[in-house]
């Protein structure tokens, strides 16, 4: 999979995408991530990419021309399955969406800033708008990093145990059950006996019930 990211602050994305699982995905050549500094596509003297909004009002707007220049330059080289805009008023990212996007080949992500981008970009180029939650960040870079991580870890071969992702929270509209490791007892706090029984059928039943109970208590909207 190839993911291209258009950003005014590439430095914000370099660290999250160069460590841990995302580093492994790229080292295995299962994922390519390319950062494209938007200012390089501005034709203005000081590489300006924002301007005042028509009609007045507080806040600047990301200009049309640099974004169009960048998108069209990339489209000349790559055919994208989706051109994604990270924005607070987009569709909220969830596990189903991450699963669907992980099956694509090439994605282009545009990180918003200021009061957003000129609407004409959204009208003519963007195919999908995504939010990571009902709050506003300083820019779309952190949201883009979250999206790439959520997608990248699902690519076949990225995780050491590929079945691990199948039991993550939200995969079956359930939260994950509690997990335990050694020691069996610590300060009198014990691991549930069922997990030490070796009866895998009963363990699976226990885990499913625990996931169901946790979901009912914490996220009944998922059921």
């Amino acid at each position: 999979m190839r993911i291209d990211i258009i950003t005014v602050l590439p430095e914000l994305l370099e660290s999250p995408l160069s460590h841990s699982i995302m580093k492994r995905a790229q080292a295995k050549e299962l994922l390519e991530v390319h950062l494209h500094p938007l200012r390089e596509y501005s034709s203005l003297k000081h590489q300006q990419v924002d301007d005042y909004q028509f009609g007045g009002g507080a806040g600047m707007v990301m200009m049309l021309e640099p974004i169009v220049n960048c998108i069209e330059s990339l489209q000349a080289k790559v055919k994208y399955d989706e051109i994604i805009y990270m924005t607070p008023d987009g569709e909220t990212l969830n596990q189903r969406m991450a699963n669907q996007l992980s099956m694509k080949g090439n994605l282009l992500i545009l990180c918003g800033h200021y009061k957003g981008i000129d609407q004409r970009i959204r009208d003519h180029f963007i195919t999908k708008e995504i939010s990571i939650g009902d709050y506003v960040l300083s820019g779309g870079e952190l949201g883009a990093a979250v999206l790439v991580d959520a997608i990248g870890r699902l690519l076949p071969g990225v995780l050491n145990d590929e079945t691990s992702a199948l039991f993550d929270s939200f995969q079956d509209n359930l939260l994950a059950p509690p997990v335990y490791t050694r020691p069996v007892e610590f300060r009198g706090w014990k691991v549930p006996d069922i997990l030490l029984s070796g009866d895998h059928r009963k363990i699976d039943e226990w885990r499913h019930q625990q996931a169901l109970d946790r979901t009912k208590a914490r996220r009944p909207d998922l059921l």
Side-chain angles (χ1 to χ4, degrees), residues 27-176:
K28 290 183 175 181
E29 299 184 348
L30 300 172
L31 174 66
E32 293 181 44
V33 181
H34 302 276
L35 306 180
H36 304 277
L38 182 61
R39 296 189 188 280
E40 293 181 2
Y41 294 87
S42 173
S43 60
L44 300 179
K45 181 178 179 181
H46 299 293
Q47 295 187 307
Q48 180 182 345
V49 296
D50 63 302
D51 207 341
Y52 296 103
Q53 55 181 308
F54 285 125
M60 307 292 277
V61 176
M62 294 179 73
M63 299 167 66
L64 191 72
E65 185 181 27
I67 298 174
V68 171
N69 290 342
C70 186
I71 291 177
E72 291 185 340
S73 173
L74 293 171
Q75 283 181 319
K77 307 169 188 173
V78 181
K79 180 176 175 57
Y80 294 103
D81 299 295
E82 298 281 4
I83 299 180
I84 299 167
Y85 174 45
M86 303 304 301
T87 174
D89 58 352
E91 183 182 358
T92 303
L93 176 64
N94 57 31
Q95 193 61 45
R96 174 181 289 183
M97 188 189 301
N99 290 342
Q100 292 170 344
L101 290 173
S102 73
M103 293 186 284
K104 304 292 185 180
N106 301 306
L107 302 176
L108 176 58
I109 302 174
L110 171 60
C111 301
H113 262 274
Y114 316 112
K115 294 298 287 185
I117 62 175
D118 189 296
Q119 180 62 36
R120 289 167 288 185
I121 295 292
R122 300 172 81 161
D123 293 340
H124 296 284
F125 289 94
I126 302 303
T127 63
K128 194 173 190 66
E129 301 187 349
I130 297 178
S131 166
I132 62 167
D134 295 339
Y135 46 85
V136 178
L137 299 171
S138 300
E141 283 77 15
L142 297 180
V146 169
L147 178 60
V148 172
D149 190 283
I151 295 170
R153 65 188 302 278
L154 296 173
L155 300 177
V158 170
L159 298 179
N160 289 330
D161 180 356
E162 291 189 20
T163 63
S164 174
L166 300 177
F167 300 98
D168 288 338
S169 289
F170 307 111
Q171 284 290 14
D172 295 316
N173 284 334
L174 294 176
L175 300 182

